[in-house]
Amino acid sequence: MSERKLKIAALLKELYDMAEVPGPSSRIPFYFNDVRAGHIERTDAEFLASTFRFCDVRPDAFVFTAEDSGQASRRLAAISHLYKGTDKVFAWRDELLSVTASDDIACESPLTVIERAMCRPFAFNTFAVHLNPFTRDGRMWVAQRSFKKAIGPGYWDNCAAGLVGAGEPFGLAMEREAFEEAGVTPGSLEISFSARNIISRPVHEGWMREIAYICNAYVEDSFHPHNMDGEVERFELLEPEAIIERIEKGRFTFESSLAVLAGLAWQEGLLDLLDQPAV
């Protein structure tokens, strides 16, 4: 095995070990137990406990038990707004994401919706897409995050990446993010899903449980990404060795490190190393 492949394999194993750690020990469906009493009514706490009942088999999974999903959405929205002004909620965006059971890693049965800033405090699943554009000679386009970003300013990232909105198909989410972040015209790239990563770990905002869909695409030499939404500082076209070196130095975000390495592993034919290949 080449030195490049050995490095990809070693880094992937190291990051996969860091990506899935045991879930929150408390058997409540959200991460705010330390401030709950000061912000939400007892009836709302009882509602959450009864609506999101934890499975006995999987402590990190829950069952949605509300008969009226509309009422559940309204109650979740009301409870979320009580936290909006606290230091427990980070980067409120007025964007809705799907709420799913923890073991629904394909978002096949959405239960309700919630403001994206509340997903990590509540330890809910989020779904993300990441784009790895490769040139025919094996180089990859990557992006430096804007220094104005709330999370990971100035770090390196996939050429395009972002969360999947409520009710949004993964393919359309990837096209939207590719256009917003890299100026890619929808339908102009032949995108393939190469892998699916599951990340479950504590973060500043609470608990991150994210299912990331990794997308690879081949681009011609004439391809030059350009940012549309102000979230990217600049793009670079790099050899795999240069990307690996930056990942080793911690210059990529954790999520993009995994996504980029998965793309490189796919490119090198190391499919047996991927978390869940060819989804």
Side-chain angles (χ1 to χ4, degrees):
M1 187 179 290
S2 68
E3 182 179 353
R4 178 197 295 177
K5 290 183 178 181
L6 287 171
K7 281 192 173 183
I8 291 172
L11 282 170
L12 263 180
K13 182 181 185 307
E14 177 184 347
L15 293 181
Y16 278 148
D17 288 344
M18 296 169 60
E20 247 194 296
V21 298
S25 59
S26 177
R27 289 174 61 84
I28 59 172
F30 54 100
Y31 208 74
F32 281 129
N33 41 330
D34 57 333
V35 295
R36 177 177 62 178
H39 292 281
I40 65 176
E41 299 292 336
R42 180 179 178 82
T43 53
D44 287 327
E46 292 172 349
F47 161 78
L48 287 171
S50 62
T51 302
F52 297 98
R53 177 176 56 80
F54 277 95
C55 299
D56 291 332
V57 178
R58 292 224 11 219
D60 64 335
F62 54 84
V63 178
F64 188 71
T65 59
E67 295 181 1
D68 183 350
S69 61
Q71 181 193 37
S73 297
R74 291 189 294 273
R75 292 288 289 276
L76 277 176
I79 294 168
S80 298
H81 274 276
L82 292 173
Y83 286 113
K84 185 175 181 179
T86 73
D87 60 2
K88 290 289 182 178
V89 176
F90 196 66
W92 190 282
R93 300 192 185 191
D94 291 316
E95 295 178 20
L96 295 178
L97 302 184
S98 296
V99 174
T100 69
S102 296
D103 53 0
D104 183 2
I105 61 174
C107 198
E108 293 177 328
S109 303
L111 307 172
T112 184
V113 297
I114 195 170
E115 154 66 29
R116 66 177 282 174
M118 296 298 295
C119 287
R120 293 181 181 179
F122 279 96
F124 288 164
N125 284 345
T126 53
F127 298 87
V129 287
H130 297 256
L131 177 63
N132 295 317
F134 287 95
T135 57
R136 298 292 174 178
D137 60 4
R139 292 175 295 167
M140 184 197 295
W141 283 99
V142 294
Q144 185 179 32
R145 296 164 67 87
S146 167
F147 288 99
K148 297 179 180 179
K149 292 278 285 184
I151 299 175
Y155 277 74
W156 287 89
D157 207 338
N158 294 89
C159 182
L163 294 182
V164 179
E168 187 177 32
F170 292 116
L172 289 180
M174 188 72 270
E175 285 194 344
R176 173 180 54 76
E177 289 291 343
F179 175 73
E180 292 174 356
E181 297 194 351
V184 176
T185 303
S188 64
L189 293 185
E190 186 174 341
I191 295 173
S192 61
F193 290 98
S194 61
R196 179 171 59 198
N197 293 335
I198 298 177
I199 300 171
S200 180
R201 64 193 187 103
V203 292
H204 170 71
E205 311 94 288
W207 197 273
M208 177 184 188
R209 182 169 170 79
E210 189 156 284
I211 297 88
Y213 284 77
I214 318 304
C215 307
N216 289 354
Y218 283 115
V219 297
E220 301 302 327
D221 291 341
S222 58
F223 176 81
H224 291 282
H226 56 281
N227 184 238
M228 307 287 283
D229 60 8
E231 295 191 1
V232 174
E233 195 71 23
R234 62 192 173 114
F235 296 92
E236 283 192 21
L237 180 60
L238 299 178
E239 298 283 352
E241 285 78 10
I243 294 173
I244 292 169
E245 181 181 0
R246 290 188 188 182
I247 291 174
E248 288 177 322
K249 292 180 177 179
R251 296 176 62 187
F252 275 77
T253 67
F254 182 82
E255 295 80 32
S256 65
S257 294
L258 267 176
V260 165
L261 286 169
L264 289 173
W266 176 84
Q267 184 82 346
E268 296 283 345
L270 301 172
L271 301 186
D272 59 321
L273 298 181
L274 299 178
D275 195 358
Q276 296 187 41
V279 296

